[in-house]
Amino acid sequence: MPMNIIYREAEPSDAGKFLEYCKRVGAESDNLTFGAEGIPFSISQEADFIRKYSGNPDCVMLVVFDEGELIGTGAVSVVDGRPRFAHRREIAISVRKDYWGKGIGSGLMNLLIDFCKKSGVESVELEVRSDNERAISLYKKFGFEKIGRNEKFFKINGEFFAADYMNLYL
Ligand SMILES: CC(C)(COP(=O)(O)OP(=O)(O)OC[C@H]1O[C@@H](n2cnc3c(N)ncnc32)[C@H](O)[C@@H]1OP(=O)(O)O)[C@@H](O)C(=O)NCCC(=O)NCCS
């Protein structure tokens, strides 16, 4: 597979591709907070959502392209606007299935953790399905540790799935 991988900040003009991407990755695994339906936003709502990230120095949304195709995304988000949470951020990533195992997830984690370090963040947080071994070993590789578990995190087609809470203390 020829690869010309580019990581960059998301731009409002990525909104259409972003929504299509979400439908695709949502269908490819049951590990995300949405399925094949994707994100319930119009293109202009998604563009506004991306603008919120690019206009806020405390968070970032990244996209990964290969030859013009969106193949991965990652974000650092603020937990809440409250001053007592200002040291914390949430991190989330996804990669299109035909690109798994090629280092894209690691590339995203490197950039997102770097962003957190430069922003003075002290607690980087994420939630991951407890049976998502690929993602959990990726997060452990970057120093995340399990701090808890929610037995009923997801309910998919009537079945509960647990998730681990993992933190990286910087
Ligand atoms: C989890 C995910 C982001 C990983 O992305 P990726 O591009 O495949 O990751 P990488 O190629 O950088 O691999 C990273 C690590 O994953 C782990 N890994 C890779 N293949 C694995 C496998 N078959 N089994 C277990 N762990 C595996 C390894 O620790 C690997 O690091 P290494 O190559 O240095 O040993 C991707 O699989 C994905 O998007 N999955 C669906 C959505 C999802 O689960 N998102 C996370 C929600 S919390």
Side-chain angles (χ1 to χ4, degrees):
M1 186 192 282
M3 294 213 291
N4 180 20
I5 305 294
I6 292 167
Y7 297 82
R8 65 163 172 79
E9 275 194 51
E11 295 164 5
S13 59
D14 296 323
K17 282 188 178 176
F18 197 97
L19 291 173
E20 285 309 308
Y21 168 87
C22 288
K23 284 185 185 157
R24 178 166 176 166
V25 293
E28 286 177 341
S29 84
D30 274 333
N31 292 329
L32 296 170
T33 52
F34 52 86
E37 75 283 4
I39 310 273
F41 277 180
S42 66
I43 292 181
S44 74
Q45 286 172 322
E46 180 60 31
D48 284 345
F49 189 70
I50 293 171
R51 266 184 214 103
K52 281 189 192 145
Y53 277 78
S54 47
N56 182 348
D58 294 334
C59 55
V60 69
M61 190 185 295
L62 297 181
V63 284
V64 191
F65 278 90
D66 182 22
E67 307 286 357
E69 283 203 54
L70 183 48
I71 55 117
T73 62
V76 170
S77 308
V78 289
V79 176
D80 194 303
R82 296 172 202 222
R84 290 181 181 187
F85 293 158
H87 61 294
R88 295 170 54 192
R89 294 292 183 281
E90 282 173 346
I91 217 169
I93 64 168
S94 68
V95 174
R96 219 172 73 177
K97 199 167 192 171
D98 52 343
Y99 283 83
W100 287 6
K102 298 180 190 302
I104 312 284
S106 301
L108 279 166
M109 290 300 286
N110 261 319
L111 291 168
L112 296 173
I113 293 170
D114 235 45
F115 175 88
C116 288
K117 285 181 178 162
K118 285 183 185 142
S119 310
V121 171
E122 291 165 293
S123 178
V124 190
E125 307 171 12
L126 61 83
E127 292 148 359
V128 56
R129 237 176 84 155
S130 306
D131 58 1
N132 189 351
E133 287 172 20
R134 177 183 289 269
I136 289 172
S137 53
L138 170 63
Y139 300 143
K140 282 186 178 159
K141 189 174 87 172
F142 281 89
F144 281 79
E145 56 184 294
K146 179 177 169 178
I147 57 153
R149 176 176 164 114
N150 182 342
E151 290 300 332
K152 295 187 177 181
F153 187 82
F154 280 128
K155 192 173 185 185
I156 304 172
N157 299 327
E159 192 182 347
F160 290 115
F161 293 92
D164 292 352
Y165 296 110
M166 298 185 80
N167 278 15
L168 171 66
Y169 297 114
L170 295 175

